[in-house]
Amino acid sequence: MPTVWFILVSVMIAAYVVLDGFDLGAGIIYLIAGRTVLMLRGVGIELRSHMSHPVWQGFFDVIFSLSSVLLAIFFGAALGNVIRGVPLDADGYFFEPLWTNFQLGPHPGILDWYTVLAGVVAVTTLTAHGALYVTLKTDGQLGGRARVLALAVWPVQLLLTLVSLVATWFVRPSIKENYLAYPVGFLIPIVVFASLAMMFTATRKGQELRAFLASCVYITGMLVGAVFALYPVVLPASTDPAFNLTIYNSAAGQHGLRVGLVWWTLGMILSVGYFVFVYRMFRGKVQLEGGGY
């Protein structure tokens, strides 16, 4: 049961990043691609429309886009902390300052060169993901600008993918253990780079759906690669590997896990039905009528 829940939680995290990532990405590119059309985040819509004044609306445009960038950095840095490890003690607790000297060590800060790199990778990835979604859902000048942005970001995404993989190998050499024990895991980086290639070629050919789906596969592959490398560790300790939180020493009781699995299954059936309904209702490209945004 601990392994089952490790897989289920990983699937939910990947689904969240894929399905909400294009929303954050669309917010990141809003000031460049949207200009006068695109607005997705609820608070931004609400406050932006309270006053019909260019200064007021421009201010909340910046807030909307900046908050999307910061959220992407936050999520990426959080994942970087999980991969790098945190200063856990024997009781399973830890404290991290925001930063120390930006270097790795047994007592790092939340931000160091590796977690900052993870944040930059997240921003770049979600920028491309959001641009491809906007390309898929719109046409005309907006769709064209989003497509150009996706192509412009792609070389940076490729470079950062390579750099992040090398950096992760340097930061946590133990990641190779699962790959060597189960060579099937080497299919994961192959899928990651194949999806990157598909993103580029499909975008250049105007195959919008294929490019967006390739981006979904890329994000999923990157997360699956991290999960595969960490298993069975949930949160590594930077102080002493003996303090690692694993699926065994941090799991709830067997009865709770079994009951939770039943309710999780029912909840997922409702969630999948909801998403199928919503995406069918709003399928196709957005048609801008006379009402503007």
Side-chain angles (χ1 to χ4, degrees), residues 183-257:
V184 68
F186 286 105
L187 290 175
I188 299 172
I190 294 175
V191 169
V192 166
F193 285 103
S195 61
L196 266 176
M198 179 59 71
M199 286 169 58
F200 180 74
T201 57
T203 304
R204 288 197 64 182
K205 295 178 180 179
Q207 298 170 336
E208 301 159 355
L209 178 59
R210 182 173 295 183
F212 176 71
L213 292 178
S215 179
C216 295
V217 173
Y218 168 82
I219 293 173
T220 303
M222 290 286 280
L223 294 174
V224 169
V227 168
F228 184 85
L230 288 175
Y231 178 84
V233 177
V234 177
L235 185 62
S238 60
T239 47
D240 186 343
F243 299 153
N244 286 349
L245 294 182
T246 69
I247 62 173
Y248 305 111
N249 63 18
S250 60
Q254 290 292 315
H255 176 72
L257 293 178

Side-chain angles (χ1 to χ4, degrees), residues 23 61 68-69 87 111-112 132 141 174 177 234 239 252 276 286 288:
D23 185 30
D61 287 349
S68 300
V69 173
L111 298 178
D112 56 32
L132 291 173
Q141 293 183 358
S174 60
E177 294 175 1
V234 177
T239 47
V276 170
V286 175
L288 189 63

Side-chain angles (χ1 to χ4, degrees), residues 1 13 27 42 59 73 82 103 106 135 146 153-154 164 182 190 206 208 210 247 253 256 261 267-268:
M1 289 303 294
I13 292 174
F59 173 76
I73 293 174
V82 171
Q103 299 299 313
T135 304
V153 168
W154 187 86
S164 65
Y182 307 98
I190 294 175
E208 301 159 355
R210 182 173 295 183
I247 62 173
L261 182 60
M268 287 304 296

Side-chain angles (χ1 to χ4, degrees), residues 4 17 57 110 113 216 255 275 279:
V4 170
V17 176
Q57 293 177 345
I110 295 173
W113 67 263
C216 295
H255 176 72
F275 274 99
Y279 280 88

Side-chain angles (χ1 to χ4, degrees), residues 18-29:
V18 169
L19 296 176
D20 196 54
F22 62 74
D23 185 30
L24 289 175
I28 292 171
I29 69 170

